[in-house]
Amino acid sequence: MNKILHNSVLHVNLEQLRRNVRTLLGELEGKALIPVLKGNAYGLGLERIGRELAAFDEIHTLAVAQVSEGAALREAGVEKDILVLGGVPERLLAPAAELDLTLPVWRLGVLPQLVRLGRERGRPVKVQVKVETGLHRVGLTPGAELSALLEEWRAARPWVTVTGAYSHFADLGDRERTGEQVRTYLSGVDQLEAGGMEIPFRHISASAASEYFPEYRLDGVRIGRRLYMDHPTKPLGTIGEVASWRTWVTNLRELKAGDALGYGGHVRMERDGTVATIAVGYGDGLSPELVGANGPVLIRGRRVPMLACCMDQTIVDVTGLDCRVDDEVTLYGYDRAGNFLSAQEVSLLIGDDEGCGLTSLLSGRVARVYEER
């Protein structure tokens, strides 16, 4: 019996993932690589990708956005340091400490809570300070806020261990603003260290910054998208795409010009032609925006446009193509013949600057299959 009962499969090339990691480690020249595994490892599967990356001796820390992601990695057997990057609801601080996750200090009042947790469990809680430099989501601003944090920290010792400080860029297209953010961040680190807090690890750059501004690597770089795909518009040519999403044709129909497609009759055939129904829709994580832009898919090695979608099925124009029921359809990545439709190229059709936004949309209805090739 076929064990994959899903309507579509995301094929993940583990050897390409490892090649990408080795490329990045060489590029960073001894600076730390911190893989970012938020959003189910950008849709590729948190637990399996986490284990693959944790197997590298050169990788010491994995980063996630939420406590639940860190918990899933621990459940999967990952023992390395796991840094939570985003703000944490108060009710999750205790379970995060029990899981030995490294927690952010992103506002005043967090450290006193962590002191209590450290005392209760009998060992310090690991933390990193999030310095606010201009994105204005979470973090503490240099000056009065960091001064107040230092007061909290002096009362918190020895029940918290500071392992680093970090920030995040807001607009890499603005070189001046990016440089100002770096200066603000480093001034915050200097303020903390002048106040007696040792900051053993500094990081501000993520994937795009590692491409645009290698001078801002500091002690390490957080890498998410570049684990899986190259730059969307200025590829360096050193990173290969890891994921290929495929489904199947389930129906074919001849239609006339003016015939309506899908719910509401908003999409109509512009000419007589043939349409194919494929076995995925927005409930699987297919972007309706992409369908609305008539984004392409690969069938029999040829690009054909999507026309309309619903939750579970999508209609594709296959006019003039020798298409058959049960033909395989590649929504992005490689088909079995080696033809390639880049997720980065596809994402640009709807204004997304990174194809990992497409993979992150994929739901649990999409099977993840890991391959060595």
Side-chain angles (χ1 to χ4, degrees), residues 110-345:
V110 171
L111 275 182
Q113 293 176 282
L114 297 181
V115 168
R116 176 179 56 79
L117 295 173
R119 284 198 180 107
E120 288 175 356
R121 71 181 196 148
R123 67 178 189 271
V125 178
K126 293 181 295 184
V127 302
Q128 291 202 14
V129 178
K130 172 67 192 302
V131 180
E132 171 57 58
T133 61
L135 194 53
H136 297 125
R137 296 186 303 191
V138 294
L140 293 154
T141 304
E145 285 190 341
L146 287 186
S147 292
L149 176 67
L150 284 167
E151 292 300 315
E152 289 187 347
W153 170 73
R154 293 183 185 107
R157 292 181 290 178
W159 297 110
V160 294
T161 300
V162 179
T163 66
Y166 66 101
S167 192
H168 194 60
F169 289 122
D171 184 4
L172 290 167
D174 187 332
R175 180 176 291 270
E176 183 177 346
R177 185 182 181 192
T178 297
E180 181 59 35
Q181 280 194 262
V182 174
R183 291 187 288 275
T184 299
Y185 168 72
L186 292 176
S187 73
V189 172
D190 288 343
Q191 180 182 353
L192 292 172
E193 291 192 321
M197 181 187 291
E198 183 180 354
I199 304 296
F201 191 80
R202 305 164 304 154
H203 52 112
I204 190 171
S205 289
S207 287
S210 72
E211 294 162 323
Y212 290 121
F213 300 107
E215 64 270 31
Y216 297 149
R217 291 173 184 166
L218 302 179
D219 299 318
V221 179
R222 304 183 302 271
I223 298 290
R225 183 260 300 164
R226 291 192 74 201
L227 295 167
Y228 316 119
M229 57 190 69
D230 210 340
H231 192 276
T233 56
K234 298 178 181 178
L236 300 178
T238 55
I239 299 295
E241 288 198 22
V242 167
S244 301
W245 186 23
R246 303 179 193 146
T247 186
W248 293 271
V249 172
T250 59
N251 195 42
L252 292 165
R253 184 172 294 279
E254 299 294 328
L255 295 177
K256 298 293 186 181
D259 282 347
L261 304 172
Y263 292 118
H266 303 298
V267 179
R268 293 182 178 271
M269 291 291 289
E270 294 183 355
R271 64 186 190 284
D272 294 354
T274 308
V275 297
T277 301
I278 65 175
V280 295
Y282 65 80
D284 302 279
L286 178 62
S287 166
E289 272 191 286
L290 186 58
V291 178
N294 301 128
V297 299
L298 288 175
I299 301 178
R300 293 184 170 246
R302 179 172 147 187
R303 295 183 178 207
V304 295
M306 293 182 283
L307 299 176
C309 77
C310 56
M311 190 175 206
D312 312 304
Q313 302 176 79
T314 296
I315 300 169
V316 177
D317 188 347
V318 293
T319 303
L321 178 65
D322 181 23
C323 181
R324 303 172 189 175
V325 168
D326 216 37
D327 275 353
E328 195 167 64
V329 181
T330 300
L331 293 108
Y332 45 75
Y334 292 90
D335 68 13
R336 293 186 187 277
N339 300 297
F340 182 49
L341 178 60
S342 169
Q344 291 288 49
E345 175 190 346

Side-chain angles (χ1 to χ4, degrees), residues 57-75:
D57 292 337
E58 300 92 336
I59 293 175
H60 305 290
T61 298
L62 306 177
V64 296
Q66 300 183 4
V67 170
S68 62
E69 296 168 330
L73 287 173
R74 288 285 187 248
E75 181 68 22

Side-chain angles (χ1 to χ4, degrees), residues 38-39 41-44 224-225 228-229 245 285-287 289-290 332 343-344 346-348 350 352-363:
K38 64 182 181 178
Y42 293 85
L44 274 66
R225 183 260 300 164
Y228 316 119
M229 57 190 69
W245 186 23
L286 178 62
S287 166
E289 272 191 286
L290 186 58
Y332 45 75
Q344 291 288 49
V346 170
S347 71
L348 292 174
I350 55 174
D352 284 358
D353 60 357
E354 294 184 343
C356 58
L358 297 181
T359 59
S360 296
L361 290 174
L362 297 182
S363 75

